[in-house]
Amino acid sequence: MTNLKDIITDYRERRRYKRLQPVAALIDMDGTLYDSMGNHAEAWRIMCEENGLAVTRDEFFLYEGMTGAQTIDLLMQRCRGMHATPEECEQLYRRKTEIFKHLPDVSPMPGARELTDIMKEVGMRRVLVTGSGQNSLLNRLEQDYPGVFLDGMRVTSRDVTHGKPHPEPYIRGMQLAGVTPSQAIAIENAPLGVKSAATAGAFTIGVVTGPVPRAELEKAGAAIVFDSMPECADAFPQLLYEMLTL
Ligand code: CA
């Protein structure tokens, strides 16, 4: 890997940021904090099968980051040639959520606790930025990541008009943290999420945690890509150090 100094300098010059200040961490949830993408894909597949929508399980890894309503609209346009009504979006998403709840429990992503603990220790502001509106995971956050997300420091599907890859979720995250783009680091595992964060102007770290290859995260605009969350957690203190001293 090119060294961190080069990556940071190159990024700063491309963005024309005078300097980078790692004040806030904006963190995605599914596939980043939780090893949940397999269950999501399976819940989508079952819901679609019940409703006569022809899909494959794997296609849902590509839609990761979109809101439920956007995903349903995309499927309805493809399978039925028409937009989904708000009622259909609500009903089908509720059913998908119901199925998800009954699948085997998902685990926190290995390495994610270490990473968020570092962010907490160095005093970075932390904001959750997720396309999800699923309470089954949102309600577990405090238990699995104690003290990481303070009250109100989350952007979910309910807080935005446009989901990822639109920059709105990450712009909202920066507003909650009270930072400018050059003061924000985003952590993402999916191409649409990386695109959202990078377009919003955050230094975006892509982490490979599933079947999507690193080249896709680079193409989507990641400033740097790690091959796992433990690798990301290991390198994070050095990354902060280089940002602060360059
Ligand atoms: Ca994700």
Side-chain angles (χ1 to χ4, degrees), residues 72-144:
I72 289 163
D73 189 52
L74 184 145
L75 296 173
M76 292 292 268
Q77 284 189 62
R78 192 184 72 205
C79 299
R80 302 208 179 137
M82 59 179 80
H83 283 287
T85 64
E87 293 73 28
E88 281 167 333
C89 287
E90 201 203 308
Q91 183 212 333
L92 295 179
Y93 189 63
R94 200 185 315 128
R95 178 63 189 142
K96 183 254 161 180
T97 302
E98 191 62 29
I99 296 165
F100 182 87
K101 267 198 294 199
H102 291 98
L103 291 174
D105 255 1
V106 300
S107 311
M109 189 64 77
R113 177 76 185 268
E114 288 75 4
L115 177 64
T116 52
D117 280 349
I118 294 168
M119 292 164 172
K120 212 166 63 175
E121 277 161 29
V122 301
M124 292 182 84
R125 298 169 205 165
R126 288 92 49 197
V127 182
L128 182 82
V129 181
T130 176
S132 173
Q134 301 228 166
N135 288 329
S136 52
L137 283 185
L138 290 166
N139 292 344
R140 272 179 57 184
L141 273 172
E142 184 51 32
Q143 183 192 323
D144 295 326

Side-chain angles (χ1 to χ4, degrees), residues 20-37:
L20 291 173
Q21 294 174 295
V23 178
L26 311 175
I27 311 159
D28 167 59
M29 184 171 75
D30 287 292
T32 296
L33 293 178
Y34 287 102
D35 194 3
S36 47
M37 278 315 299

Side-chain angles (χ1 to χ4, degrees), residues 6-7 12 59 63 73 79 82 85 97 113 122 131-132 145 161 173 175 184 190 198 211 230-231 237 239 241 243:
D6 292 345
I7 288 172
R12 210 179 50 189
E59 72 177 277
Y63 308 152
D73 189 52
C79 299
M82 59 179 80
T85 64
T97 302
R113 177 76 185 268
V122 301
S132 173
Y145 296 93
T161 311
Q175 287 167 345
E231 195 189 289
L239 182 78
Y241 176 80
M243 274 187 185

